Amino acid sequence: MKKKRVPSGVGPQTGKLWAGRFTERTHELVEAFTSSLAVDRRLYAHDIEGSIAHAKTLERARVLSRRETAAILRGLATVRAELDKGRFPFVPQDEDIHMAIERRLTELIGSVGGKLHTGRSRNDQVALDLRLYLRQELGRLIERATRLQQSLIGQARAHRDVAMPGYTHLQRAQPVLFAHHLLAYVEMLERDKGRLRDALTRTNVMPLGSGALAGSNYPVDRAYTAKLLGFPRVTENSLDAVSDRDCAVEALAALSLIMMHLSRLSEELVLWSSQEFRFVDLPDGFCTGSSMMPQKKNPDVPELVRGKTGRVYGHLLGLLTTLKGLPLSYNRDLQEDKEALFDALDTVSASVDVLAELLKGLMVNRKALAESVESGYLLATELADYLVTKGLPFRQAHAVTGRIVRACVEGDRDLRDLTVADLRTFSDRFQKDALAVITVDGALRRKAQVGGTAPQRVAARIREWERALR
Amino acid sequence: MKKKRVPSGVGPQTGKLWAGRFTERTHELVEAFTSSLAVDRRLYAHDIEGSIAHAKTLERARVLSRRETAAILRGLATVRAELDKGRFPFVPQDEDIHMAIERRLTELIGSVGGKLHTGRSRNDQVALDLRLYLRQELGRLIERATRLQQSLIGQARAHRDVAMPGYTHLQRAQPVLFAHHLLAYVEMLERDKGRLRDALTRTNVMPLGSGALAGSNYPVDRAYTAKLLGFPRVTENSLDAVSDRDCAVEALAALSLIMMHLSRLSEELVLWSSQEFRFVDLPDGFCTGSSMMPQKKNPDVPELVRGKTGRVYGHLLGLLTTLKGLPLSYNRDLQEDKEALFDALDTVSASVDVLAELLKGLMVNRKALAESVESGYLLATELADYLVTKGLPFRQAHAVTGRIVRACVEGDRDLRDLTVADLRTFSDRFQKDALAVITVDGALRRKAQVGGTAPQRVAARIREWERALR
Amino acid sequence: MKKKRVPSGVGPQTGKLWAGRFTERTHELVEAFTSSLAVDRRLYAHDIEGSIAHAKTLERARVLSRRETAAILRGLATVRAELDKGRFPFVPQDEDIHMAIERRLTELIGSVGGKLHTGRSRNDQVALDLRLYLRQELGRLIERATRLQQSLIGQARAHRDVAMPGYTHLQRAQPVLFAHHLLAYVEMLERDKGRLRDALTRTNVMPLGSGALAGSNYPVDRAYTAKLLGFPRVTENSLDAVSDRDCAVEALAALSLIMMHLSRLSEELVLWSSQEFRFVDLPDGFCTGSSMMPQKKNPDVPELVRGKTGRVYGHLLGLLTTLKGLPLSYNRDLQEDKEALFDALDTVSASVDVLAELLKGLMVNRKALAESVESGYLLATELADYLVTKGLPFRQAHAVTGRIVRACVEGDRDLRDLTVADLRTFSDRFQKDALAVITVDGALRRKAQVGGTAPQRVAARIREWERALR
Amino acid sequence: MKKKRVPSGVGPQTGKLWAGRFTERTHELVEAFTSSLAVDRRLYAHDIEGSIAHAKTLERARVLSRRETAAILRGLATVRAELDKGRFPFVPQDEDIHMAIERRLTELIGSVGGKLHTGRSRNDQVALDLRLYLRQELGRLIERATRLQQSLIGQARAHRDVAMPGYTHLQRAQPVLFAHHLLAYVEMLERDKGRLRDALTRTNVMPLGSGALAGSNYPVDRAYTAKLLGFPRVTENSLDAVSDRDCAVEALAALSLIMMHLSRLSEELVLWSSQEFRFVDLPDGFCTGSSMMPQKKNPDVPELVRGKTGRVYGHLLGLLTTLKGLPLSYNRDLQEDKEALFDALDTVSASVDVLAELLKGLMVNRKALAESVESGYLLATELADYLVTKGLPFRQAHAVTGRIVRACVEGDRDLRDLTVADLRTFSDRFQKDALAVITVDGALRRKAQVGGTAPQRVAARIREWERALR
């Protein structure tokens, strides 16, 4: 059997740490096509944190000596400092951040650097890095969402006495408190936080020690690695551990729901700041003008948030598609997880932050709201419920009131223009007290069960939220 | 003010319970376009269950008398029986199951039927029905997933001694136990069940009493309604309660992840039953033939499961898109939630069930697996790790082994064809013990940490699962 | 070699035409899971049309005698009549419409029916049926889209003198003609029709004769089959022909774009019919009421069209996902093409039709539009362009005008409230003619280049469209 | 009316060209959130090309003097040179490439630079730039796809005599030529090119002159602008022109279909290079190794192409979602079009190029293919068709052959192991000539109709392609 003479430790592809088996250099198109460095370099701190824990675990398993471990830890500290300061000497062969760091480590501390990867594969290493990063970002996003809730609650408290038309089908429906409307978004964000927390729990599981797919040939104490890295649990199946991107998909689904909620809030901000609604003014600092039309003050921020919803949905669908039909275990397709996830996290984080800030400066047009709530037959349901209190079954009361409204529409009148006498031409159950009952205030106050828009309810809910989010 | 003379209780649109305000009949194109009856009639039992609880709550709030409540409950029992038996007399004006039931109730018990909708809107009613239905289906799906886990574990136990090539990049990588491979899917399904449970917790919240959007004008005790219907919590904001479809989206995301996992399992079943792999035979009863090629026995079931993955992803994306940018509160767009959700639940339920049954009959080709595991350089990593135990840093050991493999490839030999002398031409660290170390059995046994493929580990994990899923 | 004694012509699975090779009956879960009959039965007429052409082609190739062919054609006519009248006797073993028809044919005409499938596979047969169906539906949809264009043009003509605020960012921007706004959708639909035509051209290719994957063993004249069925071309590669679902995806992409356009039109109809805009009233027959709020008249039709956009996008994504990563040639995953495509075609067809009808009855509120166009600083750009005519570079003219608007906003005034003296405090280039220039009419008339909103331009474009669509 | 004293030509936001109307600076979060410069700077050459044509059009309309035009053109040439050389002095206020260029132009040539934007808005400007860019890239992609076709045809020609098993359901089905299989992808790519050409036709329409939404106040000759820029047509409705992103969506749909095709080819390359199939070897330069397993040579390139399919689908869905429900005309959401489109174009271009190169170096394992085609009952259909030639109806011939295969499977024999006597135990129609007929060569040769796999057909098709693609 003939042995090719090649310099010890390297294949024909200088710089590729896996080159031994290969006889050709990587094609330059392939270098560009397969490199993930531009994307995964943001994982460097987590990669080094993981390597430190791995080195300590190898020491504990007596695979590394104390001296070797110390050298590796010192080297990693240097690499980390270089990366922190933007002075890390990347070379063209660095296909990803993991190999770049190992290469540099070995340059710094010599061949002992080559021992760091003992019992480890990029497959479990990258699974670890992704979980460390995602864990951090999910935690931060929960805090961001809380700040957005606080902005909403701040505005709710400041306008807790302001009524507005509530809408269904974008038609005026019934009066509600402006604060009640804002608190609807606080509820949505609280569910979002619940989903982020659940995703975080399932992310917070330690995969290192799964090797390339089958586990490690060394007696590593994975619980110890987990403890060093602050993971409460370890993965229980090595094949699954390196193939699994559930936590990324679950995060993307939770992020998509957040964007869905923000897109609804944004749609309302766009509507409310139109000349037709005039409910609010956005702060100048959150709007931009037109290159051509000098009068324009455009709600760019909510428009962009609404538009970016598509981007995040796209990432969710993209990753789900990528994962469809892949056999176990690791396949290179999985490299596509990170760009989608990173961009979605960035997008949602920025959207939450910018809306939280915008809402603080939102100016509410009390006059326009007060006028709006007075027209549009918003009190028709009160009228029907009045008839119910006078003994008419609701379905008949609804029909009578419907006819009253029809007559008003045809006569271009509003409900408040009607006299008791007018009402009595439709039903003799109307009494003198009818007009006193059919008011915006009455309508609000009556909706006093849990979840209703009555002022005392909404005030109490504001207090509960303030306490809970403190 | 002139009053149009129309018969009491109905608008010009006979049969529409909201017709009072309208002057034209619904256009026939619109009847067809807006009707949801074909889709939402499957909610009838939940709708009636909700109406019973609503009637009791109205009685408690003294909106209905005891006698009225009793009449309504009797009437609803009759309606339910008619629907159960397929004898419910639908009429063309029935635009959805909710209005159909109320209409029929009033036919059966007279105008008191018109009192049932007091303090309620279709908006909170449909939100309730959806949650009741989804809660039930999520619960059932968790049980179904457990049965699929049990099928996998059954096969794992039956073949717990069988080795197979583990793959990365669909290239043979390292030996693993066939049971270990199957257990990877058990892990995935356990995460899926966790997501279903979390979705169920967020689904299990009672929205009735939110009215159309603002709450109810009646002093209904929503906690009482919730108790009657077995909900631990009530929704806390009426606008949110009628606008919210988070639980449907969250369920669709969880369902998409299940399909993603099933698509991977299906891909493997298709691969494994090919003439190239021959790892398994699918039972005849789960395959179909060709209309033209007499020899064909096709793995239709896993192919269809894999194909249906797209359908479920599509439903997730469809609903997310529908919800994007909707202002509060209810909009008719939301009607599109049910068809997507129902079809996804049906698809995933059927896919889980059919795979659970198929797996029970799966025949494992021990001979083919045994042959496969013997070739393909599966033990190269063992060789490298051997050199590590002899003091070579892993990175150099990897390079040496890579060159050995290259030489074998070029000479068309396998690792087991090498003698110690052959090995020593690559590194003088190879000793006589090398050949004893480099065996499939040794490779498996060494991977004994948590999550590894060592036989004792896998056996323990099988026992743990059997206990946990009992 | 031992031969199992089974009755001639059938396997143990009575009724399965491919059962010879099988030893077990199809599992009942699998019958349900794999059946496509509920979906593909709508293809029956195309299936029979294709079979007639196939029989004639076999006769021409002397595979069938004239008498056999005649018997088959007579039998197919009977089958067709049974299906047309809803009297076709389906049996539980009918897994799809193709096998059902062949089974029934053989019942009717005896064993010669078993000759129809000579040289054909379900793979090329189903590819043919799909193309025949899609070709028909794309053609019909083009006609439907034309009718929607005509409705838009009808309204444009009826209101060709009505100005409205044009919007960017949902902020009032510049005056435009209402007719110009409607014609924007006519342009979109014309592009849609172009895409449908292109999809139709690529659909209109004849796949029969590709067999299961490799071609046919018989000297069939495929050009003759194509001629019989009205196809201008035949497919050129048998493997591709049975694997290809491009035409379905391309159609779904074109359908998604149509829904995107309709969702924008629908959004505008919802906005315009709100109490805030009041630009239009939808006909009563296209709205529905509320079960609880008697005054409501909701724009359900445009809301549902907007909501159904998600469904069509979902189908596009679903089919793309299903096709991803499938090896050649036919895989059972492809069965999932039809339900998505059929539902999307149905949804888009119904949406186009219902909007075409709704638009005919749309009532335009000329008064509200006239008022709206008078406020909101819509003429600021005219002011800037006035300054340009007086020699100021546009960018400076823009800045000056911006400051005028700012002063107006702060003083709660509108542009029309300004005198020439007021204007001259901002720039001494303002002359007496300024006020004459800054009018809605002037603004409209000046935009007279191709594509602009000047009345004469718009009128000409209406005439062009009327001529083109006649 | 009081006038704020601010320096001429700028608002309080120094550097914002639209700042006149604003009283606050843009918030820094908003600067970051809304900036598109990082994305749209790749449009700079097209932006300048468009500005040159706009300046010439303004000159022709006598809005600019000859001297002013000359100054602007000289200035733009300088700007272009600065950008080409990477020396353009960006400043933080540059929110997009369009404003950056105008700002720089004015720095270079003074206030006449402020005249360039006369009669133009960023809305029509950005619509123009996008179309110029997309037109270029679609053209290039068509050429790229042609090169990939040529690679496929090169391999087809080199192996035009090599048979392989054709598959349906990933089960061996019938013999086909390897060249025939490759040519299936050539067909797909030809359809892809057709779609790209159609998208290009609809892209190739000139929008400038549409202004912000309503057209231009200047008598610009849009046909002249179009001619300068090489557009055959101009847009016909200004509102549509600035709102429309159809060409981007249509391109993304065409790109998604290309990726779908490439994902199928990639799946096959992964399968074929597995140890189970061994049909091909990928060139070393297109594979990478494992950090842990020294023997690995992984098909990373096809895996990544397959994985990136999800990314492109995601962009399509993302943009469709972004556009859903937007009212006319321009909304800031539209800014999200470019990143999706650019990344999809980059991804598809790179994927096509790298596969074209990889295929050139593909090594085909003739021995493995020859062995594979000999087993797996690939000739069963030939057997059935043999019986048809002896007068048996096909359906019965299929059943007889099915039973023969079943007997072989049970006896672990292949069809070629059977004697005529064996065959006659199943049907006495088998004659001595049966064995001569049932050969791979015969099977191939018989499929001689258009699109079939017969060697003479495939050779002819190769020649046709070579001629057509020259």
Side-chain angles (χ1 to χ4, degrees), chain A residues 167-169 171-173 267 273 276 290-291 293 295-296 303 317 321-322 324 377 381 395 398, chain C residues 167-169 171-173 267 273 275-276 290-291 293 295-296 303 317 321-322 324 377 381 395 398:
Chain A
Y167 294 81
T168 62
H169 307 258
Q171 294 287 315
R172 291 187 188 163
E267 172 83 6
S273 59
E276 286 72 22
S290 160
S291 71
M293 298 175 289
Q295 88 280 16
K296 290 305 291 296
E303 289 177 283
L317 208 283
T321 301
T322 294
K324 177 229 160 191
Y377 312 107
T381 309
R395 187 54 61 209
H398 183 287
Chain C
Y167 294 81
T168 62
H169 307 257
Q171 294 286 316
R172 291 186 187 164
E267 173 82 5
S273 59
Q275 280 93 340
E276 287 70 23
S290 159
S291 71
M293 297 176 291
Q295 88 280 16
K296 291 304 291 298
E303 289 178 282
L317 243 294
T321 301
T322 293
K324 176 230 162 192
Y377 312 108
T381 308
R395 188 54 62 208
H398 183 289

Side-chain angles (χ1 to χ4, degrees), chain A residues 149-158 183 186 462 465-466 469:
Chain A
Q149 289 177 306
Q150 286 165 336
S151 285
L152 288 159
I153 291 163
Q155 287 285 0
R157 167 163 294 286
L183 290 183
V186 179
I462 290 174
W465 279 121
E466 286 172 341
L469 301 180

Side-chain angles (χ1 to χ4, degrees), chain B residues 437-451:
Chain B
V437 159
I438 305 165
T439 64
V440 169
D441 263 12
L444 291 170
R445 264 186 292 105
R446 274 190 288 278
K447 301 191 178 62
Q449 63 295 99
V450 176

Side-chain angles (χ1 to χ4, degrees), chain D residues 223-243:
Chain D
Y224 176 68
T225 324
K227 199 178 146 208
L228 289 173
L229 293 166
F231 283 100
R233 292 170 53 213
V234 302
T235 58
E236 298 273 1
N237 183 295
S238 59
L239 286 160
D240 177 49
V242 300
S243 312

